[in-house]
Amino acid sequence: MTEKVKIAVVGAGPGGLSAAAHAAELGVSHVLLEKTKKHADTIQKYQKGKHVMAEPNVLPLRSPVPFEQGTREVILDGWAEALEKHGVDVRYGAGVSGIEGERGAFRLTLENGEVVEAETIILGIGVQGNPRRLGAPGDDADFVQYQLDDPDEYKGESIVVVGAGDAAIENAVALAKHNNVAIVNRRDEFARAKDGNIALILSAIEAGDVTCFYGTNVARVDTGDFNGAPGQLVLSTPNGEVPVPVHRIIARLGAVPQRGLVEAFGVEFPSKDANALPTLSSQYECNVPGMYIIGALGGYPLIKQAMNQGYEVVEYILGNKINPADHPLLEEKFKALPYKEDVDGILAMMQERIPVFSGVNPLMFREVMLDSAVHAPAEGSVIFEKNDYTNTFYTILDGEVQIEVAPGLTIASGQGNFFGEMSLLSGRRRSATVRAGKGCVLIETPRRTMNKLLNSVDAARRVLDETFILRTIQSRFAPGVPLEVLRPIAAAAQLNQYKAGELLFAEGDDADTLHLIRSGSVTIAKNFGEREIPMAYVAAGNYVGEMGLLGNSTRSASVRATVKTETVSLDAEAFNALLDATPALRAEMEGAVRSRSQQNVRMQGSDGSGDVLSFLMQQGLGEATDVLLIDKSSCVNCDNCEVACAETHDGTSRLNRKAGAVFAEIHVPTSCRHCEDPHCMKDCPPDAIRRAPGGEVFIGDNCIGCGNCERNCPYGVIQMAYKPPPKPGFWSWLLFGAGPGPGQKAGGKASKDEIKKAVKCDMCKDLAGGPACVRACPTGAAVRLSPEAFVDVVSARLP
Amino acid sequence: MFESFLTYRSGRWFWWALALSAVSIGLYAWHDLPDPPNGGTWLGYTLGSVAAALIVWLIWLGRRKRDYGSKVGTVQGWTSAHVYLGTALIIVATLHTGFQFGWNLHTLAYTLMMIVILSGFFGIWAYARYPSRMTENTGGKSRPELYTEVAELDRQLQRLAEKGGPEVATAVASAVERTVVGGSWLAQLKREDRSEVQLPGKGLVSNAGMAAIVDFVIEHLGASRDGAQGEALRELSTLLGNRARLLSRIRRDVQLVGLLRVWLFVHVPVAFACLAALTAHIVSVFIYW
Ligand SMILES: Cc1cc2nc3c(=O)[nH]c(=O)nc-3n(C[C@H](O)[C@H](O)[C@H](O)COP(=O)(O)OP(=O)(O)OC[C@H]3O[C@@H](n4cnc5c(N)ncnc54)[C@H](O)[C@@H]3O)c2cc1C
Ligand code: HEM
Ligand code: HEM
Ligand code: SF4
Ligand code: SF4
Ligand code: SF4
């Protein structure tokens, strides 16, 4: 292959397809290289019949390839047709494994060794990554596969599944119905998978439905005729090599992230953080001139965005200065502002005036602004209240705001400054009330957008962290002390991260630091003989270790992180400086020490208390902000809580009373804990999961039903459900027998187009009365609690 | 923290009920009773009206319980008030009758009311007593979890039974298939085990507590000369023992749930009967008048 194309598009996902089709439509020489045998592999892998959403709705589509919400099949067919119609030169089975050269003379090496030459490259390979290969001689045999679409497709075969994660287990168990299945686990137990799946595979192994090779690796794959099977898998087990004749090998070893490959292409990432995004110009060009990155790989997780970028990037390559499709949206947004400049002018001014944003590349900043809201609030109006649970980030573009750091104590903050970083970083409530000052213009950026930015722009993260420490010390210890005095103390402070279960310090250690918990929570434990018994639980926003600093020189207890935890630590010297600056602090600290000692004594009185606390922590309550508990000694099994939840929430109960662990008659049913740093939020493409001012983590209507959150929640509280048709009223049920009645489930869906969306507890934030589950419990067995009340739960269980 | 409906808001409804009762008794003592006393005086009408209003409101609990989005108090608060004001009804209604009982419609309404109230007392007792026993019995596991355990045991049983020979396999399969949990209300409350098993030579026999099938397996064990088979049979008998224990827990759970609810089957229908009789009473009183 020596012919050179103008544009080589790598990856036939929505972004790549759209780019190649636009190039074809314009008659530009191009080639579309796709690794798999079909277009849009990521979408091909959605479950059959999945309804694909076209979020964000406000964004217009700009692409020669059609896309509107509909089923996966309809969309894929539409794309195949468009490829055909525009005469796109697409090559399947053409995974790109290496790129060399520069603008005008790139050489792309394919996995099969062929070479393609191009003047420019558009990378649209997404973030799904490649399935991890077996990595043993012979793993290219055609009976080795890395995916399983339909387990019922195979019958009577000998199949070996390699891997021990959820996918491997689910495949093995599903295949075992009609086939002779073995599973290969590198380790001696199944630990990586969900509890339900572990139970499933263990019972399948126990029942003899699946054979398991523990502590085993794959030695090689042989092709030939082995008792009628086309191959054999040679395993190296703890007892030596074992050959297994196979019809099929299914390797489910997870995915290798694209990052390594992309870096090998020469693309640089701004930080080591796994979530960092490559730095792109406003025309999607990366650090390698002539190489452009679009779609999910560039940090745009939705189909429509990827497709628009595909169109735009071709225009840019051809030297046309078009406005991005989101231009009118920004224009609309900036209308509310008192400036005459055009969109680009305002964007530039923003970056110039606000230091945290100045280091951000223009493309990413544009994206930040698309997600952000701009406000010009009237002087004196409240921007947020102290103790609200909101977690957006504010920057001041013009004018000033008044921050009430303590009752009666307000400080002004002006142009270029920011606020709201405390809740953003810690997931805790707002620590101060903020009011608009004169001529105030603000940018409000959502948490996810801000986190994305912080992961990629180290400088911004540093500024935020430093400010966080300073302001935390001020608000927590020294509200009256000017920042200048605190600055040296803060400079000596450190930011520490601990994994769940990690020790901050142990009983008997030298006491030299005080920890302020920024996010997460800790338990304080004492050793009794061999056993470490937790005495207390301390939530974020509080401090630990003060006992040691005020007198004792060794630690009187061990402190352990219950979940991933971050602390700000002050050493003895900095702490003393702080005490000198604020005389009232010593008294407050001494008071805290006293009450903590009293509590310890109280807890020591009983053997069981520590166990109850450990139990609650094991149930993940260490990261909860609000949790449903049921007192088993007064729960009469009436199920009214579940029914009430279902009745007030589209027919699907968001709590499962029949599940969850019980200890000392305290039941933690399966129900949302409204985590401080919600795992469910992490991977939501349309950013549909939000936190309301009251702390409620809820899912908005723009959910696209991808199911990521369902998988990410470690407590299994999210379900995918249809919205059911409306129910008749109480009286027509009672008098005319119209069904379904109260508490009965309405089957089906509200309308034909209804898709399954994620549903979870929203703490009944839209119900005037508060949590329906709690209010419906006739005996008072069900309560919703915040972590501060856990200690009461524990002491209530004391004899 | 956790607060029982009996102590809801420091037992505020207890005090209201006490006050209502005290006022009723006070008025009754102070009031000049006609001879013989009857409900026709102003006090009689007042007490009767209060009683009737209370009954209607007590029945309304059934509606409030199902009005899940309601902002009117919590169901716990309602239940607390229900219990105490329902009890106060004993005083209010009794004073209304002026102790004039006889074989008539009026007394029927009164009797029905008393049945409802007494069944309510049983309910309170049951609510206080059984929940802890349920947790104790199942170790905090829910019914579905217990059934999953049974299903798991059944799969292991089936596998072992096959190693025990065809006769044993059929017998064990039949024991599994003919296991009965629950049944009629009475059977549930009495924790009856009507399980059966089809055994060769014996036909269909009772298998309460898995006893028959365990005996059968042990007989085979005695006769077995094959080491591997003997091992399987021994294990089988242990597993069958576990299964019997597990099932007995489930039956106990069914029984406890039954005891928690059975009184409502008196309480609610009789409450409606009482309402009907009461309506008739009021109507009749006005007609006679
Ligand atoms: C379960 C699920 C449901 C979703 N639902 C929706 C939804 O309803 N609506 C929505 O807007 N978004 C949804 N998304 C997000 C959406 O799928 C992605 O945003 C979109 O696919 C990104 O497009 P892309 O072109 O950047 O990359 P991808 O679609 O990932 O495409 C990349 C392509 O590149 C190929 N490729 C990879 N490596 C190479 C290589 N080395 N050489 C050649 N080719 C290569 C891949 O095979 C693939 O075909 C969902 C995501 C998931 C996981
Ligand atoms: C609006 C409510 C009520 C009214 C107007 C009412 C009225 C009366 C009257 C007028 C009498 C006297 C009849 C007589 O002396 O012959 C009476 C008696 C009686 N009432 Fe009521 N009543 C009411 C509610 C109730 C209630 C709630 C109960 C109990 C469930 C009840 C039970 C009785 C009984 C047992 C008698 C005595 C019957 C008798 O005297 O032989 N009444 N009532
Ligand atoms: C005449 C008097 C009474 C009437 C008409 C009455 C009626 C009712 C009704 C209609 C219900 C609703 C049941 C349901 O929908 O599930 C109920 C529930 C109940 N009643 Fe009564 N009741 C009376 C007195 C009492 C008394 C005196 C007590 C206790 C001392 C009591 C205790 C209860 C309890 C515990 C419940 C169950 C609450 C629940 O589980 O939701 N009742 N009653
Ligand atoms: S859904 Fe799960 S992860 Fe999200 S807040 Fe609730 S418990 Fe936490
Ligand atoms: S809410 Fe859950 S299912 Fe819905 S889009 Fe977000 S991650 Fe996907
Ligand atoms: S708080 Fe509301 S949404 Fe959450 S479980 Fe209870 S009833 Fe359901």
Side-chain angles (χ1 to χ4, degrees):
Chain A
M1 238 334 257
T2 47
E3 183 208 6
K4 188 176 196 176
V5 292
K6 173 130 180 101
I7 303 176
V9 184
V10 186
L17 279 173
S18 172
H22 190 44
E25 163 182 68
L26 297 174
V28 177
S29 73
H30 68 277
V31 61
L32 174 57
L33 303 169
E34 166 56 43
K35 184 177 61 189
T36 64
K37 305 211 161 65
K38 288 179 181 159
H39 63 293
D41 189 48
T42 303
I43 285 80
Q44 301 275 6
K45 281 189 186 140
Y46 290 178
Q47 97 207 39
K48 280 204 187 99
K50 177 182 158 29
H51 187 93
V52 181
M53 306 286 282
E55 289 288 325
N57 277 327
V58 285
L59 189 69
L61 176 74
R62 191 199 251 176
S63 169
V65 179
F67 175 58
E68 58 186 45
Q69 65 166 347
T71 63
R72 158 188 173 275
E73 287 71 19
V74 170
I75 288 168
L76 285 171
D77 288 349
W79 290 350
E81 239 168 69
L83 285 175
E84 185 91 8
K85 183 175 109 197
H86 294 290
V88 174
D89 181 6
V90 47
R91 262 185 261 166
Y92 295 108
V96 175
S97 56
I99 297 180
E100 288 155 24
E102 53 189 11
R103 183 191 287 279
F106 282 114
R107 287 169 54 82
L108 298 89
T109 317
L110 305 189
E111 278 161 9
N112 60 14
E114 279 178 38
V115 171
V116 172
E117 295 189 356
E119 290 173 27
T120 53
I121 293 177
I122 299 174
L123 274 186
I125 58 177
V127 286
Q128 297 306 112
N130 295 316
R132 203 177 288 280
R133 299 185 65 92
L134 272 182
D139 69 358
D140 52 355
D142 55 9
F143 52 82
V144 179
Q145 65 192 54
Y146 295 91
Q147 205 200 336
L148 178 65
D149 291 324
D150 179 9
D152 294 332
E153 208 177 308
Y154 310 113
K155 297 213 162 71
E157 296 192 348
S158 292
I159 303 179
V160 178
V161 177
V162 186
D166 288 310
I169 293 175
E170 281 161 19
N171 286 178
V173 173
L175 286 166
K177 257 187 259 158
H178 304 297
N179 302 281
N180 178 6
V181 177
I183 187 165
V184 176
N185 185 349
R186 200 154 45 86
R187 304 217 245 142
D188 291 328
E189 53 175 22
F190 289 89
R192 272 196 300 121
K194 285 197 213 126
D195 287 348
N197 276 335
I198 294 180
L200 206 62
I201 189 73
L202 291 182
S203 68
I205 294 170
E206 164 83 40
D209 295 342
V210 172
T211 318
C212 181
F213 293 94
Y214 286 107
T216 295
N217 287 304
V218 172
R220 63 174 193 278
V221 180
D222 297 334
T223 315
D225 185 0
F226 300 90
N227 301 333
Q232 78 170 3
L233 179 64
V234 181
L235 297 170
S236 77
T237 72
N239 310 320
E241 290 207 340
V242 176
V244 186
V246 288
H247 293 95
R248 199 169 300 284
I249 298 172
I250 297 180
R252 300 309 300 261
L253 303 164
V256 190
Q258 295 283 35
R259 173 102 174 233
L261 179 69
V262 176
E263 279 177 334
F265 292 165
V267 178
E268 283 168 11
F269 286 78
S271 82
K272 280 214 235 349
D273 191 303
N275 298 317
L277 301 168
T279 312
L280 303 179
S281 77
S282 58
Q283 304 201 327
Y284 310 112
E285 194 169 5
C286 72
N287 61 298
V288 181
M291 194 185 304
Y292 298 77
I293 294 180
I294 58 170
L297 183 62
Y300 300 84
L302 291 168
I303 294 173
K304 205 194 279 174
Q305 295 168 328
M307 296 183 71
N308 285 351
Q309 294 179 349
Y311 178 99
E312 288 156 14
V313 75
V314 168
E315 291 288 329
Y316 294 145
I317 290 175
L318 298 178
N320 303 331
K321 280 206 117 206
I322 60 160
N323 283 325
D326 51 38
H327 198 84
L329 300 179
L330 284 177
E331 218 162 42
E332 190 56 38
K333 193 168 274 181
F334 292 163
K335 262 201 195 133
L337 297 183
Y339 306 115
K340 288 184 296 294
E341 288 88 341
D342 64 353
V343 168
D344 290 323
I346 294 179
L347 286 172
M349 172 182 78
M350 288 173 164
Q351 288 204 275
E352 191 179 307
R353 284 195 187 173
I354 302 169
V356 241
F357 289 146
S358 58
V360 181
N361 82 64
L363 182 67
M364 191 181 272
F365 184 65
R366 200 180 173 95
E367 187 65 16
V368 167
M369 283 316 301
L370 270 170
D371 291 346
S372 303
V374 289
H375 311 280
E379 183 172 354
S381 58
V382 173
I383 295 159
F384 56 66
E385 297 265 12
K386 183 174 170 138
N387 289 339
D388 268 6
Y389 249 120
T390 46
N391 50 22
T392 49
F393 177 77
Y394 288 87
T395 40
I396 308 171
L397 184 59
D398 230 335
E400 60 171 32
V401 296
Q402 298 290 338
I403 304 175
E404 191 178 323
V405 282
L409 182 72
T410 0
I411 49 176
S413 186
Q415 194 187 84
N417 282 334
F418 55 85
F419 56 95
E421 79 292 344
M422 308 275 262
S423 298
L424 171 81
L425 294 174
S426 69
R428 307 300 295 189
R429 300 163 189 265
R430 297 290 193 196
S431 57
T433 298
V434 180
R435 291 193 178 75
K438 234 190 178 54
C440 173
V441 179
L442 300 175
I443 302 174
E444 179 185 5
T445 310
R447 173 185 163 91
R448 185 180 73 154
T449 312
M450 210 47 214
N451 277 338
K452 209 158 127 183
L453 185 119
L454 294 181
N455 287 335
S456 294
V457 186
D458 271 343
R461 168 164 296 272
R462 250 191 329 272
V463 174
L464 251 63
D465 278 343
E466 278 161 16
T467 314
F468 181 92
I469 293 175
L470 192 62
R471 290 188 184 165
T472 306
I473 292 175
Q474 188 187 41
S475 69
R476 198 66 192 77
F477 296 128
V481 181
L483 284 179
E484 286 61 51
V485 180
L486 295 178
R487 218 173 278 279
I489 301 174
Q494 266 182 339
L495 206 57
N496 316 287
Q497 289 186 333
Y498 301 93
K499 289 200 282 287
E502 201 176 329
L503 268 178
L504 276 68
F505 51 76
E507 190 174 338
D509 281 1
D510 281 345
D512 48 7
T513 46
L514 170 84
H515 288 268
L516 245 170
I517 305 166
R518 145 161 149 171
S519 66
S521 60
V522 300
T523 49
I524 299 179
K526 276 179 165 288
N527 290 323
F528 294 96
E530 293 291 282
R531 256 162 55 85
E532 188 180 287
I533 298 181
M535 316 289 301
Y537 160 86
V538 183
N542 300 300
Y543 47 80
V544 287
E546 77 293 345
M547 280 175 132
L549 285 187
L550 288 174
N552 306 8
S553 53
T554 56
R555 299 293 190 192
S556 56
S558 304
V559 172
R560 222 175 251 290
T562 56
V563 288
K564 195 176 121 207
T565 298
E566 286 183 323
T567 70
V568 173
S569 62
L570 288 175
D571 61 15
E573 203 176 314
F575 183 68
N576 281 326
L578 196 62
L579 286 183
D580 292 343
T582 29
L585 183 59
R586 184 177 290 274
E588 187 211 310
M589 286 280 193
E590 279 165 358
V593 171
R594 224 171 306 124
S595 74
R596 202 162 270 172
S597 310
Q598 280 161 0
Q599 195 191 339
N600 285 359
V601 172
R602 203 155 54 109
M603 302 285 282
Q604 249 155 354
S606 155
D607 291 341
S609 59
D611 295 336
V612 176
L613 196 57
S614 317
F615 165 73
L616 293 178
M617 293 306 132
Q618 271 160 25
Q619 302 310 311
L621 271 51
E623 59 180 325
T625 64
D626 189 285
V627 67
L628 179 65
L629 296 183
I630 295 180
D631 176 9
K632 273 292 201 184
S633 66
S634 56
C635 167
V636 295
N637 274 33
C638 66
D639 242 1
N640 228 32
C641 48
E642 267 199 39
V643 173
C645 184
E647 289 284 323
T648 48
H649 293 85
D650 289 333
T652 307
S653 173
R654 285 101 205 270
L655 76 101
N656 184 350
R657 189 185 60 85
K658 297 200 182 64
V662 178
F663 183 82
E665 302 215 310
I666 300 175
H667 177 196
V668 187
T670 299
S671 160
C672 180
R673 286 127 167 88
H674 299 273
C675 301
E676 193 176 275
D677 186 8
H679 310 270
C680 53
M681 277 187 189
K682 255 159 230 165
D683 244 351
C684 172
D687 200 10
I689 308 182
R690 294 290 172 96
R691 169 155 246 152
E696 308 89 347
V697 175
F698 67 99
I699 302 182
D701 289 339
N702 56 335
C703 164
I704 58 173
C706 70
N708 285 353
C709 54
E710 186 193 19
R711 281 186 292 277
N712 284 341
C713 169
Y715 308 111
V717 311
I718 300 187
Q719 309 163 62
M720 308 302 294
Y722 288 119
K723 192 188 179 112
K727 284 172 100 170
F730 178 83
W731 296 112
S732 44
W733 163 72
L734 191 70
L735 302 177
F736 309 111
Q744 293 165 350
K745 228 177 146 65
K749 29 182 170 168
S751 69
K752 179 162 87 356
D753 303 334
E754 202 60 50
I755 63 160
K756 275 196 175 172
K757 290 191 176 186
V759 298
K760 68 178 279 296
C761 164
D762 59 3
M763 234 143 87
C764 294
K765 67 181 177 58
D766 301 326
L767 247 62
C773 49
V774 172
R775 299 167 52 79
C777 175
T779 65
V783 292
R784 275 204 160 273
L785 287 182
S786 62
E788 291 75 26
F790 292 163
V791 175
D792 297 341
V793 178
V794 176
S795 43
R797 297 283 135 172
L798 298 185
Chain B
M1 262 302 308
F2 295 119
E3 186 180 51
S4 158
F5 62 98
L6 294 177
T7 54
Y8 176 76
R9 303 266 164 100
S10 327
R12 77 160 53 153
W13 293 108
F14 169 76
W15 296 109
W16 277 112
L18 199 64
L20 176 63
S21 309
V23 169
S24 305
I25 293 175
L27 285 174
Y28 191 81
W30 170 77
H31 184 61
D32 282 333
L33 293 177
D35 192 29
N38 66 51
T41 64
W42 68 266
L43 179 64
Y45 273 108
T46 311
L47 290 176
S49 306
V50 170
L54 271 177
I55 290 180
V56 171
W57 174 81
L58 287 163
I59 289 184
W60 193 255
L61 173 66
R63 172 74 187 98
R64 170 60 186 85
K65 236 181 116 175
R66 286 164 186 78
D67 193 357
Y68 302 102
S70 170
K71 279 175 273 183
V72 191
T74 61
V75 176
Q76 187 195 10
W78 273 67
T79 311
S80 185
H82 180 93
V83 165
Y84 288 119
L85 295 179
T87 308
L89 200 54
I90 303 182
I91 309 269
V92 178
T94 308
L95 293 181
H96 161 73
T97 66
F99 305 97
Q100 299 299 303
F101 302 114
W103 293 105
N104 53 25
L105 181 69
H106 322 310
T107 309
L108 172 68
Y110 180 83
T111 313
L112 291 174
M113 182 194 79
M114 288 309 291
I115 294 176
V116 176
I117 295 178
L118 291 178
S119 66
F121 286 143
F122 175 82
I124 298 293
W125 182 76
Y127 277 17
R129 179 183 168 89
Y130 293 125
S132 289
R133 307 212 162 186
M134 292 178 67
T135 318
E136 208 177 304
N137 173 50
T138 61
K141 290 198 184 105
S142 65
R143 190 87 62 78
E145 284 168 329
L146 293 175
Y147 274 119
T148 318
E149 281 181 26
V150 174
E152 181 51 38
L153 264 180
D154 288 353
R155 291 207 307 162
Q156 294 181 21
L157 281 176
Q158 192 198 347
R159 221 162 25 89
L160 277 173
E162 270 160 23
K163 293 189 195 153
E167 249 190 7
V168 172
T170 331
V172 168
S174 140
V176 167
E177 192 182 327
R178 290 175 188 274
T179 300
V180 180
V181 176
S184 68
W185 265 99
L186 211 56
Q188 292 189 16
L189 289 179
K190 284 166 66 188
R191 220 199 311 176
E192 264 175 12
D193 183 352
R194 298 199 181 158
S195 304
E196 294 177 321
V197 60
Q198 179 91 39
L199 293 177
K202 292 199 192 141
L204 203 52
V205 294
S206 160
N207 190 25
M210 296 269 119
I213 183 72
V214 172
D215 287 349
F216 178 79
V217 169
I218 288 177
E219 265 166 45
H220 269 253
L221 179 59
S224 164
R225 298 283 164 268
D226 173 343
Q229 189 193 29
E231 185 55 39
L233 289 174
R234 200 164 302 123
E235 214 178 306
L236 197 57
S237 62
T238 319
L239 284 190
L240 284 169
N242 291 349
R243 187 170 193 273
R245 253 193 312 282
L246 195 54
L247 286 172
S248 125
R249 282 200 184 166
I250 296 180
R251 285 193 190 95
R252 170 80 175 139
D253 194 52
V254 170
Q255 180 190 33
L256 287 168
V257 170
L259 286 169
L260 265 175
R261 284 195 197 141
V262 67
W263 64 277
L264 274 171
F265 284 72
V266 174
H267 197 73
V268 178
V270 178
F272 280 97
C274 169
L275 188 66
L278 181 64
T279 316
H281 162 66
I282 297 169
V283 171
S284 77
V285 164
F286 280 103
I287 291 174
Y288 280 110
W289 210 29

